[in-house]
Amino acid sequence: MRRLSIPASPISIAFASSLSRKGSKKRRQQARHDYEHDYEYERNGVATLFMLFAPLESWRHVKVTDRHAATDYALVLKELSDVHFPVPTK
């Protein structure tokens, strides 16, 4: 497959989404039947997924962080520009 690329200015898309991390455990109470169970969830925090895309280059990258802050978004954009798509030198 031939890769379409514009080296001078690649098109990239950044998207952020929060995800709640839950752990489940089955709690057995006095059940009238064997098939009756009560489930309870314990909260394990929140993770933020940063999804980076470059559709013309068929490239994608996902970065997961433990918190949702503006500094995390800035660091992901800095990583995008410095590591994944650095400016070519002439």
Side-chain angles (χ1 to χ4, degrees):
M1 174 184 271
R2 195 175 114 199
R3 293 181 74 182
L4 299 174
S5 177
I6 306 170
S9 59
I11 298 172
S12 60
I13 302 166
F15 179 74
S17 176
S18 292
L19 178 68
S20 178
R21 296 185 287 187
K22 295 179 183 176
S24 65
K25 56 184 178 180
K26 198 185 304 187
R27 184 176 54 174
R28 179 83 177 193
Q29 289 184 342
Q30 285 184 318
R32 291 177 288 180
H33 304 285
D34 289 338
Y35 57 85
E36 290 181 356
H37 298 285
D38 187 19
Y39 292 92
E40 92 178 17
Y41 295 94
E42 59 184 30
R43 186 176 168 96
N44 293 331
V46 175
T48 301
L49 302 172
F50 291 100
M51 292 165 273
L52 308 170
F53 303 98
L56 294 179
E57 297 189 359
S58 300
W59 177 84
R60 66 186 175 272
H61 180 72
V62 177
K63 184 167 179 85
V64 181
T65 61
D66 287 334
R67 58 193 179 120
H68 185 76
T71 55
D72 291 336
Y73 188 66
L75 290 173
V76 167
L77 291 180
K78 182 171 175 33
E79 179 184 334
L80 177 67
S81 64
D82 292 347
V83 176
H84 301 297
F85 293 102
V87 178
T89 58
K90 289 186 178 182

